[in-house]
Amino acid sequence: MSDQPRSADHFVAPIKDVVVDVDSVKVTAAKPRSLWSDAWRDLRKRPVFWISVAILIVVMLMAIWPTLFTQVPPNDQCYLENSNAGPEPGHPLGFTFQGCDIWSRIVWGARTSLVVGVLATLIGSSIGLVMGAIGGFYGGSLDSVLSRVGDIFFSIPYILAAVVVMTVFSQGRNMVTLAFAIGGFAWAATARVVRAEVLRVRQADFVTASRALGLSRFRTLVSHVVPNAIAPLIVVSTLSLAGAIVAEATLAFLGVGLGSNVMSWGNDISQAQTSLRVAPMALIYPSIALTVTVLAFILLGELIRDALDPRARARR
């Protein structure tokens, strides 16, 4: 028996030349989805989202094109013989105390409520975006000053402030004045949300890269930080729009709104309270329109907030 180790035979497979047609190979790289695409994929599966959108589309059509829903003039055909009368052909909801068609006033009143709500939301969101973004990005003493200003406005009930403003400017009441009275005092909550999001975004790597490329701080804020911090602002604005519509109706009910000659749901509710015992439906119908519209905006805002939150999507 030999002491030398036995060598093992190794098999080597023959090498074959394999020709690969590069043009026939399709490389499919999965494109990463953005936050908004993920949110849309989640929203379109929610029935409540489509119900809210349908309600808001109807309300917007009422505000933009009221003659699509009624051909009855809201003020030109008010007859006292129809005072508090019930429904009849062509007047499905009956008449008010002044003999005006309730359905026509609801349709035409949607424009006032929606326009004031949108203007007030745009004003409040714009102020809140500027104050929150500048304070959160620059920090330091500027952030402290802007935060204290926001705290002052946050401590003032904007309904009470709007009552004071509309009382002082009683001779110049219009939609723009009312929108500034509401939005000019309701921006503090929006500024807090934007500031918190900017504080988070400014720590990201792309902000550091932008500064390394030589972009100024202001251009970095406008071009990179604000677009990536805009998602919470959209959610807050949707909820603020509902609050602004309620504020307009509240001011009209208190008699410091746009005046009794302007058609709005708040004015109709205020005028119908005198005949609540005799004809309650004149108050209930505009109240239902106001409630459904506000509820649709609130539900839409809640759904958008959940869709933009990956943790909320994961819990479902």
Side-chain angles (χ1 to χ4, degrees):
M1 186 173 181
S2 176
D3 294 335
Q4 295 180 354
R6 182 182 299 176
S7 61
D9 296 331
H10 298 280
F11 175 77
V12 179
I15 300 176
K16 296 181 179 179
D17 295 333
V18 179
V19 179
V20 180
D21 187 2
V22 179
D23 296 334
S24 63
V25 178
K26 296 182 179 179
V27 179
T28 58
K31 184 180 180 181
R33 294 196 300 265
S34 64
L35 178 65
W36 292 104
S37 62
D38 288 338
W40 169 244
R41 288 167 61 90
D42 181 75
L43 284 173
R44 66 186 184 184
K45 300 176 183 177
R46 310 286 293 275
V48 180
F49 169 75
W50 293 110
I51 295 174
S52 302
V53 170
I55 294 173
L56 295 180
I57 289 176
V58 171
V59 174
M60 290 179 184
L61 286 176
M62 285 182 178
I64 298 172
W65 194 4
T67 55
L68 182 66
F69 298 89
T70 180
Q71 301 297 325
V72 179
N75 285 328
D76 296 343
Q77 296 184 5
C78 299
Y79 305 104
L80 291 179
E81 57 266 22
N82 295 329
S83 178
N84 293 332
E88 61 181 47
H91 308 278
L93 302 182
F95 299 87
T96 64
F97 179 74
Q98 292 82 12
C100 303
D101 182 74
I102 296 177
W103 169 245
S104 178
R105 290 189 64 85
I106 290 177
V107 172
W108 285 85
R111 175 178 298 176
T112 301
S113 299
L114 197 62
V115 169
V116 172
V118 171
L119 287 178
T121 303
L122 289 176
I123 294 170
S125 298
S126 300
I127 298 175
L129 175 61
V130 173
M131 299 287 284
I134 293 177
F137 185 74
Y138 288 97
S141 58
L142 180 61
D143 183 27
S144 300
V145 172
L146 295 180
S147 297
R148 298 297 79 76
V149 174
D151 292 340
I152 294 173
F153 277 85
F154 193 79
S155 63
I156 302 174
Y158 68 91
I159 293 292
L160 179 60
V163 170
V164 175
V165 172
M166 296 302 291
T167 303
V168 173
F169 296 97
S170 58
Q171 301 300 324
R173 294 180 182 178
N174 52 47
M175 293 185 183
V176 177
T177 305
L178 182 56
F180 270 102
I182 297 173
F185 290 89
W187 58 265
T190 303
R192 285 188 173 187
V193 174
V194 173
R195 177 181 178 274
E197 189 66 12
V198 169
L199 286 173
R200 184 190 66 83
V201 173
R202 76 174 187 177
Q203 306 297 330
D205 294 336
F206 61 84
V207 177
T208 305
S210 174
R211 299 287 295 129
L213 290 174
L215 269 70
S216 64
R217 298 189 67 183
F218 180 76
R219 187 174 179 184
T220 301
L221 171 64
V222 174
S223 302
H224 300 285
V225 177
V226 171
N228 286 277
I230 206 72
L233 176 64
I234 295 176
V235 177
V236 174
S237 298
T238 306
L239 300 175
S240 299
L241 180 56
I245 294 175
V246 173
E248 184 277 328
T250 303
L251 295 175
F253 183 81
L254 295 176
V256 290
L258 297 176
S260 57
N261 58 331
V262 178
M263 282 173 297
S264 71
W265 295 335
N267 279 334
D268 289 346
I269 294 172
S270 178
Q271 296 172 7
Q273 64 176 328
T274 57
S275 57
L276 178 61
R277 295 177 178 270
V278 180
M281 302 311 296
L283 185 145
I284 292 176
Y285 285 135
S287 300
I288 292 175
L290 176 65
T291 302
V292 171
T293 303
V294 171
L295 182 61
F297 276 113
I298 292 175
L299 289 176
L300 183 61
E302 295 287 345
L303 290 173
I304 294 176
R305 183 182 63 182
D306 291 344
L308 292 174
D309 187 359
R311 291 174 296 181
R313 294 198 305 266
R315 288 194 297 265
R316 290 197 301 269

